[in-house]
Amino acid sequence: MAFKGSLRSALTAGLATGVLAVAACSPAPGKPDAANSASNSVATRLGALKLENGYPTQETADKLYDEMDFQRATQAYIWALPAVGFKALYDAQAKTLGVKNGEILLYQDLKDKAGMLTPNITTLYAFSFWDLAKDGPLVVDVPAGATAGGVLDIWQQPITDMGQTGPDKGAGGKYLILAPGGEALNPAGYRVVRSPTNQVWFGTRGLDPDKAVAEATVRKHKIYAWANRAAPGETRYATVAGRPWTSAQPDNLEYWRLLSELYANEPVAPRDRTMFGMLEPLGIEPGKPFNPDARQTKILTEAAKVGELMSRTVAFDKRYAGATVYPGKHWEYAVMFELDQETPNKDRVQFDQRGSWFYEAIGMSVGMQGRVLGFGQVYLESSKDKAGAWLDGGKTYKIRVDPAPPVKQFWSITLYDNVTRGPLVTPQGAADISSRKPDLVKNADGSVDVTFGPVKPAGATNWIQTTPGKGWFAYFRFYGPTETYFAKSWQLNDFEQVTK
């Protein structure tokens, strides 16, 4: 399609340094290409590669090593998205917002969440970080009530859910998080889980429709060291209070610095050792300072730019099977991977699927996978209109949410900037509409019409403002999905353009 081509063209331009591709003929299956192996020059996308009696000249070797390292780094960018996303969010809380490990930060409104990847604007968020190696085992005391969250490792893999989608099923209880390889503990009255990494992230959301009740419930969470269990003291809560911050993964050298800092004292999982082996020539080694030389800096900086474009393509121009939700429509599943980020039969890592999600978003849990009837969340995304064109902030669109949407709790539509992946920030000050919106206008049959565009059309009621000259995409969330969602007997309509 022409629209896909436009993004691919941009990516191709970013790849001007080239990806090695031997031109023209290929040898017969099972036989070496005698001409290439013996000739003094081989034509490739990189230009003519000169040989001396089959050996690469120094110029050829230098060119191939530069290209090899560049290619490795572009793929490492996609591979590291969840880990760098973890580190970027940690740094935002610790360095920008001044929140210490074990303290809980509340994100209450659009302004608070402006620096976050694809947040839901409707519900309250609460985040905290902990280092099991420095501070010992962690206790999370979860209150009873309408919350949903959990604890994740540095690859944003859930160690356990908590709240409505966790083992406590909303009844609350104490969870004990142990360090990798640490002492085995199994005390009565605790749900005990072991983390594969030293650094962990606790996150939850308040789901009660009454915002005051939701916040009061969330504030009952307690976080403290296992060593302090006899007298844990009060858990400190902080608020963003509208302060500016951001946690999007960088597209420059800082990306690799974050990855290196994250692995200053972390075990490397077996499936990640090959990638770290390929990054060693670029100065990225777990547990060692990151001090790239001029050559490494140049390659890593270029690779971050192209890796970011590759990640953007993987997210918005998905090529893996099963991404489309409804045949003939343009809604896609935002989450297409298992909790451990591997295929069910464990034969491969879901590389592009997890890359797509973690380029756009943060966090993962049982509840976020959209598979729990009546609880948890479903995330559907769209970046195209009914005709298959990219959504354009200078144009006006409409969508009808049909009657009886399949939710036990509520639904929401949220708009995001396709470059920052943060919520749209416009003079209107509202990037979303949800079924919990007090002044939501419904049609006589219970359906809801929503309009999107830079200027509110005459007669429009439910309207979200967009920005000319910027692309955007949308998440439609089903909270507590019901049977008709899973049966697809109720389907989302596409965005329809109403102005050119």
Side-chain angles (χ1 to χ4, degrees):
M1 295 179 67
F3 302 102
K4 288 186 178 181
S6 64
L7 185 55
R8 286 176 176 157
S9 295
L11 180 57
T12 301
L15 281 167
T17 53
V19 175
L20 180 60
V22 177
C25 60
S26 297
K31 294 183 180 180
D33 187 341
N36 280 348
S37 61
S39 66
N40 291 326
S41 181
V42 180
T44 76
R45 184 176 293 185
L46 300 177
L49 298 178
K50 296 180 180 179
L51 305 172
E52 295 176 352
N53 297 324
Y55 292 109
T57 64
Q58 189 60 54
E59 178 186 4
T60 293
D62 290 344
K63 182 180 288 188
L64 288 175
Y65 272 130
D66 283 352
E67 183 63 24
M68 217 158 53
D69 288 344
F70 174 77
Q71 289 186 31
R72 289 176 175 184
T74 61
Q75 298 313 294
Y77 188 99
I78 303 172
W79 159 77
L81 282 167
V84 176
F86 175 103
K87 175 62 172 170
L89 183 61
Y90 171 82
D91 279 5
Q93 289 210 172
K95 297 179 180 180
T96 304
L97 299 172
V99 178
K100 299 177 182 178
N101 281 2
E103 298 176 343
I104 298 178
L105 182 62
L106 300 179
Y107 298 81
Q108 297 169 304
D109 55 25
L110 172 61
K111 194 170 183 180
D112 287 355
K113 300 173 185 177
M116 192 182 300
L117 298 182
T118 57
N120 182 357
I121 311 303
T122 307
T123 58
L124 171 74
Y125 288 156
F127 296 162
S128 184
F129 289 87
W130 190 267
D131 192 324
L132 297 164
K134 294 179 180 178
D135 303 314
L138 168 67
V139 176
V140 181
D141 192 343
V142 179
T147 66
V151 174
L152 299 91
D153 68 13
I154 63 170
W155 285 94
Q156 302 195 51
Q157 298 172 125
I159 301 164
T160 180
D161 269 43
M162 298 171 175
Q164 288 185 341
T165 57
D168 64 278
K169 304 298 183 185
K174 293 181 180 179
Y175 291 77
L176 176 60
I177 317 299
L178 304 179
E183 180 185 2
L185 300 171
N186 191 27
Y190 292 80
R191 292 181 172 90
V192 182
V193 293
R194 187 175 295 280
S195 171
T197 64
N198 289 313
Q199 298 169 85
V200 296
W201 166 29
F202 161 75
T204 193
R205 56 167 59 87
L207 294 173
D208 195 281
D210 185 319
K211 290 186 177 182
V213 173
E215 181 168 341
T217 303
V218 166
R219 283 180 176 271
K220 292 178 182 176
H221 284 83
K222 297 178 181 178
I223 291 181
Y224 51 88
W226 168 250
N228 297 335
R229 63 193 179 278
E234 291 296 318
T235 298
R236 179 177 178 270
Y237 283 81
T239 59
V240 177
R243 289 175 288 170
W245 65 282
T246 185
S247 65
Q249 298 96 333
D251 64 351
N252 50 41
L253 193 66
E254 186 66 14
Y255 189 91
W256 312 108
R257 193 177 309 281
L258 290 174
L259 179 63
S260 295
E261 288 178 1
L262 182 65
Y263 269 91
N265 183 32
E266 288 289 354
V268 179
R271 75 181 184 201
D272 296 318
R273 291 170 188 165
T274 296
M275 190 63 78
F276 274 116
M278 291 197 294
L279 290 175
E280 183 180 356
L282 285 161
I284 299 172
E285 297 183 65
K288 294 187 178 181
F290 178 59
N291 295 304
D293 59 26
R295 172 187 172 275
Q296 293 166 333
T297 295
K298 182 176 185 295
I299 291 172
L300 288 170
T301 300
E302 292 176 351
K305 294 289 184 187
V306 176
E308 196 278 340
L309 284 173
M310 288 179 169
S311 302
R312 196 183 308 182
T313 301
V314 168
F316 298 131
D317 192 10
K318 298 177 179 60
R319 66 176 181 177
Y320 45 82
T324 300
V325 183
Y326 314 112
K329 296 184 178 181
H330 295 90
W331 286 99
E332 298 176 324
Y333 294 106
V335 180
M336 287 286 289
F337 58 93
E338 301 301 312
L339 293 176
D340 63 1
Q341 303 171 7
E342 299 182 19
T343 55
N345 61 1
K346 309 303 178 195
D347 64 350
R348 62 189 180 278
V349 172
Q350 294 169 305
F351 192 86
D352 284 350
Q353 291 88 338
R354 80 170 188 181
S356 173
W357 171 256
F358 288 111
Y359 176 76
E360 295 178 356
I362 54 172
M364 184 46 54
S365 65
V366 172
M368 294 173 69
Q369 287 213 300
R371 301 177 186 177
V372 183
L373 181 65
F375 291 98
Q377 307 88 47
V378 167
Y379 300 83
L380 301 187
E381 66 173 302
S382 182
S383 53
K384 297 173 183 175
D385 67 14
K386 189 174 182 179
W390 296 116
L391 296 169
D392 183 336
K395 298 176 181 178
T396 301
Y397 304 86
K398 67 176 181 179
I399 191 172
R400 172 162 290 183
V401 181
D402 287 336
V407 290
K408 186 177 178 182
Q409 295 173 330
F410 68 97
W411 59 261
S412 69
I413 302 175
T414 311
L415 273 53
Y416 304 101
D417 184 304
N418 66 338
V419 176
T420 69
R421 291 94 73 202
L424 287 187
V425 178
T426 66
Q428 182 192 26
D432 80 322
I433 278 180
S434 83
S435 58
R436 285 186 172 176
K437 192 172 185 288
D439 57 351
L440 184 72
V441 177
K442 296 183 179 181
N443 299 320
D445 65 353
S447 64
V448 175
D449 292 322
V450 186
T451 305
F452 314 84
V455 178
K456 185 177 182 179
T461 51
N462 308 306
W463 168 66
I464 303 178
Q465 188 173 31
T466 59
T467 303
K470 288 189 174 183
W472 58 272
F473 66 103
Y475 272 19
F476 193 102
R477 291 172 169 88
F478 302 79
Y479 277 83
T482 59
E483 291 86 347
T484 54
Y485 162 76
F486 293 103
K488 296 185 181 179
S489 55
W490 188 98
Q491 296 189 4
L492 268 176
N493 296 305
D494 277 333
F495 294 99
E496 293 189 52
Q497 185 178 331
V498 296
T499 64
K500 298 297 183 183

